[in-house]
Amino acid sequence: MLWRKNLTTTNDVITVENLSKSFGNLEVIKNISFSVHRGEVLGIIGPSGSGKSTLLRCICQLEKVSGGSVSICGSTMVKDGVYAEKNELRRIGLDVGLVFQNFNLFPHFSVLRNITEAQQIVLGRDKDHSREIAMDLLKKMNLETKALSYPCELSGGQQQRVSIARALALKPQVLFFDEPTSALDPELTGEILSVIRDLAKEKMTMVVVTHEMSFARDTSDSLIFMDGGVIVEQGNPREVIETPREERTKAFLRRFNKN
Ligand SMILES: Nc1ncnc2c1ncn2[C@@H]1O[C@H](COP(=O)(O)OP(=O)(O)O)[C@@H](O)[C@H]1O
Ligand SMILES: [Mg+2]
């Protein structure tokens, strides 16, 4: 369909069309389509088990889709369920970064090595250059004094900032966050949200799965509410959260506000 080409502007960092994913007989993602423009923050909210993590993992190549298409920065990763060849997938994989709920730092590496290791192995950067980049990012995260500490010596909020630095060190075109604050105490949550807010001000393209409703409302440019593997509602974050159209969204937000 040629006309579709015109709809997918070069400003699209992510284009997802009719993505589906099943685990055995369990259909977890059902025909989802959306796009994210350069410099935009897409928020994703929804109950546990609605398929949010699976969606992110599919786009970041940690899971294989069952059907549909995904393009990153104009390059086709998978089209109608057929994947690009290996080298192309590897190249496309470098454009995306993922920050996990539980940090996923290497416990036996120092903070510095957690940030330099992938730069050296994945991008082939030399030691000095990768250290320079790591130290700049640690400064930005207010952690320059922790370079030689080990993850277990840091607070959860500090560990999550290290994992954000690790992801940024690879200079991805888009950064995904999968509930980045849900393993943190409320007082540590704020410091991570403020890092993400700063990245948004710098126009980093991001997709953020979160249960922090006021953050989602104020920081995202667009918001998706997912339930049961489908996008139930999508639009202006303030409208989705404050005046949802769909019953399922209303019910979720009501339940949420009670907690
Ligand atoms: N590796 C897997 N094998 C089988 N089922 C899975 C797997 N990963 C996730 N699921 C199932 O997929 C559904 C969606 O999970 P998930 O994407 O983690 O949802 P969310 O992140 O919204 O909580 C759940 O029913 C979950 O049990
Ligand atoms: Mg999840």
Side-chain angles (χ1 to χ4, degrees):
M1 285 191 291
L2 265 179
W3 58 270
R4 270 210 161 273
K5 274 219 157 113
N6 299 330
L7 285 182
T8 315
T9 65
T10 47
N11 261 342
D12 274 352
V13 175
I14 305 166
T15 313
V16 172
E17 284 178 298
N18 304 320
L19 190 143
S20 56
K21 169 68 182 175
S22 300
F23 292 108
N25 289 332
L26 182 68
E27 202 182 5
V28 172
I29 307 276
K30 302 168 186 166
N31 246 359
I32 280 192
S33 303
F34 64 90
S35 56
V36 183
H37 303 307
R38 186 165 299 282
E40 193 178 78
V41 180
L42 172 70
I44 302 180
I45 57 171
S48 172
S50 57
K52 305 179 300 295
S53 295
T54 304
L55 176 64
L56 263 49
R57 291 173 60 81
C58 283
I59 301 172
C60 296
Q61 298 186 43
L62 297 175
E63 295 283 357
K64 279 209 140 175
V65 308
S66 307
S69 308
V70 178
S71 303
I72 311 279
C73 298
S75 301
T76 302
M77 177 180 119
V78 52
K79 178 139 186 72
D80 299 329
V82 180
Y83 274 87
E85 51 106 12
K86 216 170 140 199
N87 282 341
E88 177 72 350
L89 287 180
R90 192 180 164 278
R91 194 187 60 74
I92 291 171
L94 296 177
D95 283 341
V96 306
L98 178 58
V99 174
F100 299 89
Q101 181 175 354
N102 291 317
F103 328 132
N104 282 16
L105 296 172
F106 291 115
H108 55 297
F109 284 177
S110 67
V111 162
L112 186 63
R113 188 156 171 215
N114 262 286
I115 304 174
T116 55
E117 187 80 357
Q119 295 187 61
Q120 292 167 16
I121 290 174
V122 180
L123 299 184
R125 277 187 197 140
D126 67 38
K127 216 172 170 178
D128 287 347
H129 188 200
S130 61
R131 282 189 170 199
E132 200 181 306
I133 288 175
M135 287 311 297
D136 277 351
L137 284 164
L138 283 174
K139 235 175 251 159
K140 182 172 167 154
M141 297 292 150
N142 262 326
L143 287 173
E144 66 265 50
T145 58
K146 301 289 185 187
L148 299 178
S149 302
Y150 283 81
C152 66
E153 297 167 325
L154 305 185
S155 74
Q158 290 170 333
Q159 289 185 53
Q160 190 60 305
R161 279 186 277 148
V162 173
S163 77
I164 295 172
R166 177 180 59 178
L168 289 172
L170 301 177
K171 297 217 163 34
Q173 296 292 321
V174 50
L175 199 48
F176 293 84
F177 292 86
D178 192 358
E179 299 190 28
T181 62
S182 52
L184 301 177
D185 297 337
E187 65 265 35
L188 299 181
T189 293
E191 66 184 50
I192 296 304
L193 297 183
S194 107
V195 168
I196 301 175
R197 256 186 236 111
D198 288 346
L199 290 171
K201 276 187 210 137
E202 294 169 18
K203 293 292 167 200
M204 179 81 207
T205 311
M206 295 184 282
V207 177
V208 187
V209 173
T210 183
H211 289 303
E212 299 292 327
M213 292 304 147
S214 45
F215 170 78
R217 183 194 58 204
D218 299 337
T219 309
S220 329
D221 298 295
S222 172
L223 186 68
I224 283 176
F225 168 64
M226 268 180 82
D227 193 13
V230 300
I231 295 177
V232 174
E233 190 160 347
Q234 174 173 17
N236 174 293
R238 188 164 290 275
E239 284 171 21
V240 173
I241 287 178
E242 291 176 1
T243 51
R245 289 186 307 268
E246 302 292 331
E247 265 321 308
R248 273 203 275 177
T249 319
K250 288 179 194 166
F252 169 74
L253 291 166
R254 256 197 313 271
R255 236 179 308 136
F256 204 88
N257 289 334
K258 268 191 203 144
N259 293 336

